[in-house]
Amino acid sequence: MFGPIGEIIETQRLRLEPLAVHHADEMAEVLDDPRLHDYIGGEPLTRDELRARYERLVTGPAPFHQEGWLNWVIFRRRDDRAVGYVQATVTPSPTALKASIAWVTGMPYQGFGFATEAAGAMVGWLRAHGVTEITASIHPENASSAAVARKLGLHPTPDVDDGETVWRVPSS
């Protein structure tokens, strides 16, 4: 794998665990809502399809891709319930490492700040491990994800990636 290797990250309310295949059993329920796909396309995966996807993600990209896939399942600490996931694709840039990040929380867990807390913890972890550029690609109509991005200090740019607005921390 290229870049840092994921580890457990804890916040006041959450625990982010590096993705493992066995997480598919619990995550299939968390992600089983078609509304989660309004802006990312597709439809909920079955438990077996999600397990197969997690097997691919855990294996990571081929070494020649020069990127690392970091995926964490978000657990609510008070009851150890999975509520979503965060992820980062880490690649080299001419000066350091950059990451494209994303977050998803299950419908029953939205509106409690879990995405912001988890994504913020992930960004802090990435920065502590040498990542200097952070971007996120967000569908222009996804106001909830745009709000999370703003809270993380990201700002929309004129750049578009596959129909989504690229957000980044402005250069200082």
Side-chain angles (χ1 to χ4, degrees):
M1 181 177 134
F2 182 84
I5 296 175
E7 57 193 7
I8 292 175
I9 303 169
E10 293 201 11
T11 70
Q12 181 178 354
R13 300 182 301 158
L14 306 173
R15 183 181 71 258
L16 284 58
E17 285 186 13
L19 181 70
V21 175
H22 71 84
H23 289 132
D25 295 335
E26 188 170 3
M27 287 301 292
E29 291 178 35
V30 173
L31 302 175
D32 189 25
D33 191 315
R35 295 174 293 177
L36 289 175
H37 299 269
D38 285 350
Y39 301 114
I40 60 174
E43 57 190 47
L45 299 177
T46 66
R47 190 175 311 271
D48 289 340
E49 290 169 333
L50 192 59
R51 182 174 283 279
R53 176 172 170 71
Y54 285 4
E55 286 172 358
R56 287 189 304 276
L57 289 172
V58 168
T59 302
F64 61 84
H65 283 172
Q66 291 261 316
E67 66 183 22
W69 297 344
L70 296 168
N71 297 276
W72 288 270
V73 174
I74 306 166
F75 288 91
R76 192 169 51 189
R77 289 176 64 177
R78 73 175 165 87
D79 59 5
D80 208 33
R81 179 176 296 274
V83 299
Y85 67 86
V86 291
Q87 61 188 36
T89 301
V90 179
T91 55
S93 75
T95 56
L97 296 174
K98 61 182 180 177
S100 175
I101 64 170
W103 49 85
V104 173
T105 52
M107 295 305 292
Y109 311 107
Q110 293 184 8
F112 298 99
F114 294 145
T116 301
E117 187 173 332
M122 174 182 62
V123 166
W125 186 92
L126 290 167
R127 291 198 183 285
H129 288 82
V131 175
T132 57
E133 283 183 57
I134 307 281
T135 62
S137 297
I138 300 172
H139 190 282
E141 295 175 18
N142 190 340
S144 296
S145 278
V148 170
R150 277 189 196 88
K151 289 175 186 170
L152 297 176
L154 301 169
H155 297 276
T157 70
D159 301 332
V160 176
D161 178 24
D162 198 23
E164 296 183 324
T165 302
V166 176
W167 291 63
R168 68 173 35 96
V169 175
S171 302
S172 9

